[in-house]
Amino acid sequence: MESFISKALIKKDLTDISRSKTLLSTMIIIPILFSVLFPAAVVGGALFFDMEKLAGEDGRKMVSSFIESSMGDTVSAYSIEQQMTYIFINFMLPTLFLLVPIITAMTVAANSFVGEKERRTLESLLFSPVSIRKLFLSKIAASFIPPFLVSIVSFLACGIVINGFGYPLFQELIFPSANWIVLITCLSPMVILLVVLINILISSRVKTYQEAQNIGGVIVLPVVGLLIGQISGLFLLGVGLILAISGVVLLINLVLLSWISKYNDRFILFEKQIY
């Protein structure tokens, strides 16, 4: 009985998400920005403009020094346009790409409980014959599926754009690299689940969607830190570091799931959302 209700809740939430213009616009605009426009501008710019001249002497020295200290001989043999494009595609863009699943997951999950309250359906949901654990798991599943699909579609769109503009420049397909494969198979699903868990907890404690979004927005700060760390040369987001971060996020997710199972009950939800 509970499994049937749980599937019905997931289906209802997915239907509500597909009918929300705000959620849909976020799930369309953000992926287009970070997986189509940014790579098209940088890789296309390297193809059509003289990047070596634009970078100047200092820029060329910095890129060459970075490539020689961190990359193999194959990359060192590239032209300055190819080297700049290679660094952007394999080290800067993956960090920016993480904003796609993070922002879409944050938007969807923040709507989970406060959205029910604003549609005046939360009371009937709390009185339904489903355990609070099943209710939370249903909300987690319904909030995880859309950003995960958006992440996969964005990854494919990003690959088409990069290889479309990059092939004339490199004379070979340059996407996906090992960094991207580990990112999309390990880190992205873990990050989506982390954002969903945090924002569902927030959504179950606050009274408005705007409040849930404002509090949950701090989750983008670690991504900004990753980007600054790479630009400043503090570290390089390679395969090993991506796997290590994925492992840490997995442990945090397990702790959060355990916490949700133990400390959330129907009375707390009723008290926080209805009164």
Side-chain angles (χ1 to χ4, degrees):
M1 179 65 178
E2 276 203 332
S3 296
F4 175 77
I5 295 175
S6 182
K7 290 178 182 176
L9 287 174
I10 294 172
K11 186 177 179 181
K12 181 191 83 64
D13 279 3
L14 292 176
T15 303
D16 289 340
I17 291 168
S18 68
R19 289 175 177 171
S20 171
K21 292 181 180 178
T22 302
L23 299 181
L24 278 181
S25 60
T26 301
M27 288 191 291
I28 292 172
I29 293 173
I30 296 300
I32 290 175
L33 180 64
F34 289 105
S35 62
V36 176
L37 296 184
F38 275 3
V42 174
V43 185
L47 187 62
F48 296 113
F49 297 99
D50 188 349
M51 299 298 288
E52 187 171 353
K53 184 178 180 181
L54 291 175
E57 185 63 27
D58 291 339
R60 289 195 296 272
K61 287 181 179 177
M62 186 178 70
V63 171
S64 297
S65 174
F66 182 77
I67 291 287
E68 289 172 1
S69 62
S70 310
M71 313 289 169
D73 294 336
T74 304
V75 181
S76 299
Y78 285 162
S79 67
I80 192 70
E81 286 88 356
Q82 290 173 322
Q83 289 177 348
M84 293 174 72
T85 306
Y86 186 90
I87 292 173
F88 173 78
I89 291 173
N90 292 297
F91 297 99
M92 305 302 170
L93 187 57
T95 308
L96 287 173
F97 182 86
L98 272 181
L99 291 174
V100 173
I102 287 176
I103 294 176
T104 51
M106 182 178 67
T107 305
V108 173
N111 185 60
S112 57
F113 281 104
V114 289
E116 296 282 359
K117 180 190 175 185
E118 291 175 352
R119 292 190 294 272
R120 300 182 184 279
T121 55
L122 185 60
E123 287 176 286
S124 58
L125 193 62
L126 292 177
F127 284 118
S128 64
V130 61
S131 68
I132 205 66
R133 182 174 177 274
K134 280 284 185 182
L135 177 59
F136 265 90
L137 290 178
S138 301
K139 291 291 184 185
I140 290 169
S143 299
F144 180 87
I145 293 171
F148 179 72
L149 294 178
V150 167
S151 178
I152 297 296
V153 172
S154 300
F155 173 74
L156 296 175
C158 194
I160 293 171
V161 171
I162 290 174
N163 283 327
F165 284 105
Y167 189 81
L169 184 64
F170 287 85
Q171 300 301 311
E172 61 180 338
L173 297 179
I174 56 173
F175 185 94
S177 64
N179 280 7
W180 276 99
I181 292 172
V182 178
L183 179 94
I184 201 68
T185 56
C186 297
L187 185 55
S188 181
M190 289 299 102
V191 167
I192 292 172
L193 183 57
L194 175 65
V195 174
V196 166
L197 291 173
I198 291 174
N199 279 274
I200 281 183
L201 281 173
I202 293 171
S203 184
S204 68
R205 294 295 188 271
V206 300
K207 296 185 181 301
T208 66
Y209 177 60
Q210 190 64 46
E211 190 179 357
Q213 272 203 317
N214 291 341
I215 298 173
V218 297
I219 198 73
V220 301
L221 292 180
V223 177
V224 176
L226 280 177
L227 191 60
I228 293 174
Q230 289 193 100
I231 293 174
S232 64
L234 189 63
F235 56 83
L236 204 59
L237 195 63
V239 171
L241 184 55
I242 296 175
L243 286 172
I245 296 173
S246 302
V248 172
V249 177
L250 172 62
L251 292 177
I252 295 173
N253 287 339
L254 293 175
V255 172
L256 284 174
L257 276 171
S258 174
W259 191 83
I260 287 174
S261 301
K262 289 180 180 176
Y263 295 102
N264 273 291
D265 60 38
R266 198 177 302 270
F267 175 76
I268 292 175
L269 260 180
F270 198 86
E271 183 184 45
K272 296 290 184 182
Q273 293 287 332
I274 303 301
Y275 290 113

